[in-house]
Amino acid sequence: MSESRSIHPLNPSRRRLLKAGGALMTLLVTPVGMAQSAARILAVRVWPSRDYTRITLEGADLLKYNFQIVKNPERLVIDLEGVEFDSMLQSLPDKISETDPYIRLIRAGRNRPGVVRLVVELKSEISPQVFSLPPAGSYGHRLVLDLYPTVEADPLMALIEKRSPEDAVIGSGKPGAAEDNPFRISRDSARSPATPAANDRPARISRPSLQLITIALDPGHGGEDPGAIGARGTYEKTVTLEIGRRLKAKIDAEPNMRAMLTRDADFFVPLGQRVEKARRVQADLFVSIHADAFIRPDARGSSVFVLSDRGATSTAARWLANKENSADLIGGVNLGVKDSHLAKTLLDLSQTATLNDSMKVAKAVLSELGGINQLHKGSVEQASFAVLKAPDIPSMLVETAFISNPEEEKRLTDDAYQDKMADAMLRGIKRYFAKNPPLNRNKVALKD
């Protein structure tokens, strides 16, 4: 016996519900639906420098990726999964400068459904570091591509090459030709150039008594890390670099001094690498330059800090040190790469002589700063700044002024004030070295 069933037509409300569900399923499997679920790129940034070039892709969510190096010609290929090729990624090729030391150009486009491919055409072989960063500061999820040269530049050789004895000009008639050189020859010690040898190689000028004082200048922040931002939009990283450049020029003009910058452009340098750069050039002094902010806009004045092995001397000093020590989180450090120099930069509390010298030079500089600006505190402060932890180099951190104070922010962007700040710092440094000559290990012996 067969069973018969009667089929009733759907009521109008149920029919509309099924249609809506079907439309939703269609949306999820079509390209339009994929675009709605794709990871969204918030920003793309490129930071070129001689040290390395960084490309940053910032997303609202974690970006999935694969990368590979392709040879002949040299290329770095990155596949971004689940990302739509939108206007933000389309703008990336336009951000590459012809002067970039490592990137020739970037090509970007859809490689296959749901995958965007970036092809970075390189000027030479590189050693890439590609890594993700969790949200930090004002940034979302970041995918970072750091393109390093395969042979790391030696900062000491670069410093020597820039200031070689052959660069000294004697009797050239050019104003300031010799004054720019730390190997400058005084009129009493100048002598006629030696007769060229048979191989026509230029003879070097002997200065056996010359002792060069090497100073590492560290403009705070840079690149992905803007530092503090003033009410008028001034970046701390911009101010510190400008003052650092001015101070370097003044130091290089001294007859027995030379300076190196831990960064000479707008790029990020991890805190540990800043210290390591100073140690590699056998610096006699490390000066970190800042223009920070405080929670109150009325905070004002210049300050000088040295390292503390017993805790901060004030609540504000502790707050500031914690803020500065977070720079690596904001700037973005590849935690997957072990720093072989890290152990060398840790503080050895037995190095009391280094801490004592740091206090001496800090007092001299603070005294000079008081002549051009109000002092935030009348004495040198101490806190556990990571960037001051070189065990063998006297180190200080100079807060030129509070960028969070509208009046001081305006002064910090003024060329004349920046020059006065550099002059004051130089006077303090010279006062210190006049009474505390550097160790003999940094004495330069130049032979014919």
Side-chain angles (χ1 to χ4, degrees):
M1 182 176 178
S2 62
E3 180 180 356
S4 63
R5 296 179 179 177
S6 60
I7 301 175
H8 301 283
L10 294 175
N11 61 56
S13 61
R14 186 178 180 188
R15 185 180 294 110
R16 285 194 298 270
L17 179 62
L18 289 175
K19 282 185 177 180
L24 178 61
M25 291 298 294
T26 303
L27 182 64
L28 291 176
V29 298
T30 59
V32 175
M34 289 176 62
Q36 289 187 352
S37 62
R40 186 162 55 96
I41 301 296
L42 303 176
V44 294
R45 296 179 291 273
V46 180
W47 308 100
S49 73
R50 288 178 297 178
D51 286 27
Y52 72 106
T53 290
R54 168 171 288 193
I55 302 172
T56 304
L57 307 177
E58 184 181 352
D61 301 296
L62 182 66
L63 298 175
K64 299 178 181 179
Y65 67 94
N66 289 294
F67 76 95
Q68 61 179 321
I69 288 286
V70 181
K71 300 289 186 179
N72 300 319
E74 297 286 333
R75 285 157 289 163
L76 175 64
V77 179
I78 305 98
D79 286 339
L80 303 174
E81 301 176 8
V83 172
E84 183 65 16
F85 185 53
D86 57 10
S87 59
M88 194 63 69
L89 284 173
Q90 291 174 26
S91 70
L92 183 55
D94 296 332
K95 296 182 181 294
I96 304 304
S97 167
E98 292 183 358
T99 59
D100 190 298
Y102 306 107
I103 300 177
R104 190 179 307 280
L105 58 88
I106 288 183
R107 293 183 280 113
R110 294 183 183 88
N111 178 254
R112 57 187 183 274
V115 176
V116 172
R117 171 163 289 184
L118 306 179
V119 179
V120 184
E121 297 191 10
L122 304 165
K123 293 181 178 179
S124 60
E125 187 178 358
I126 58 135
S127 177
Q129 291 185 15
V130 182
F131 55 97
S132 296
L133 292 171
S138 61
Y139 294 125
H141 292 271
R142 285 174 289 173
L143 174 60
V144 176
L145 289 70
D146 284 347
L147 312 183
Y148 287 92
T150 54
V151 179
E152 186 179 359
D154 186 338
L156 181 57
M157 287 303 300
L159 191 61
I160 294 173
E161 288 171 1
K162 287 181 181 179
R163 297 294 172 185
S164 63
E166 289 83 1
D167 290 339
V169 180
I170 306 174
S172 66
K174 297 180 181 179
E179 281 72 13
D180 290 341
N181 201 301
F183 291 86
R184 182 176 64 188
I185 306 170
S186 67
R187 293 179 180 177
D188 294 335
S189 62
R191 60 181 175 87
S192 300
T195 303
N199 58 8
D200 290 330
R201 289 169 57 187
R204 292 198 174 194
I205 301 169
S206 179
R207 303 171 194 78
S209 63
L210 180 63
Q211 184 169 359
L212 282 176
I213 298 171
T214 303
I215 301 172
L217 302 177
D218 176 47
H221 309 281
E224 287 288 288
D225 176 21
I229 303 175
R232 301 169 61 190
T234 306
Y235 287 168
E236 180 183 5
K237 67 175 183 178
T238 305
V239 169
T240 59
L241 182 57
E242 286 299 317
I243 294 176
R245 285 171 172 168
R246 292 175 187 273
L247 181 54
K248 181 185 187 311
K250 294 177 185 297
I251 290 173
D252 287 346
E254 293 294 319
N256 64 333
M257 302 174 77
R258 63 181 177 179
M260 64 84 70
L261 292 167
T262 58
R263 69 176 182 94
D264 57 3
D266 187 9
F267 63 98
F268 173 70
V269 182
L271 298 176
Q273 287 186 21
R274 294 169 186 263
V275 177
E276 182 57 26
K277 283 188 174 187
R279 301 190 76 219
R280 287 178 66 186
V281 300
Q282 299 181 3
D284 299 296
L285 176 65
F286 180 87
V287 183
S288 194
I289 304 170
H290 291 259
D292 219 322
F294 195 56
I295 52 178
R296 300 196 322 268
D298 59 335
R300 62 182 303 133
S302 301
S303 305
V304 181
F305 293 82
V306 298
L307 188 66
S308 170
D309 58 346
R310 297 178 182 148
T313 51
S314 69
T315 302
R318 185 183 301 109
W319 181 88
L320 186 60
N322 290 337
K323 185 172 180 297
E324 293 297 349
N325 292 345
S326 68
D328 281 356
L329 298 176
I330 306 298
V333 174
N334 185 3
L335 298 178
V337 175
K338 294 183 179 180
D339 187 351
S340 61
H341 304 295
L342 181 60
K344 299 178 183 178
T345 64
L346 297 179
L347 174 65
D348 179 355
L349 295 182
S350 67
Q351 298 290 332
T352 55
T354 300
L355 296 177
N356 289 338
D357 284 340
S358 298
M359 182 62 76
K360 290 178 183 177
V361 65
K363 286 180 178 178
V365 170
L366 184 68
S367 174
E368 295 294 338
L369 292 179
I372 66 166
N373 192 29
Q374 175 182 327
L375 296 180
H376 184 66
K377 284 286 184 69
S379 59
V380 174
E381 292 203 75
Q382 292 182 261
S384 185
F385 289 92
V387 79
L388 300 182
K389 291 187 177 182
D392 51 353
I393 306 174
S395 305
M396 64 177 170
L397 185 147
V398 178
E399 290 290 353
T400 54
F402 280 91
I403 204 168
S404 53
N405 182 300
E407 182 182 341
E408 292 205 329
E409 178 188 9
K410 184 177 180 180
R411 296 181 71 190
L412 285 169
T413 60
D414 180 68
D415 290 345
Y417 181 75
Q418 290 180 359
D419 214 49
K420 288 180 180 179
M421 181 62 62
D423 279 331
M425 293 168 66
L426 177 60
R427 287 194 301 269
I429 291 170
K430 290 175 68 176
R431 278 176 50 190
Y432 164 75
F433 280 114
K435 297 180 179 179
N436 304 272
L439 298 175
N440 288 332
R441 66 178 176 84
N442 284 340
K443 191 166 184 176
V444 176
L446 302 175
K447 300 179 181 179
D448 288 339

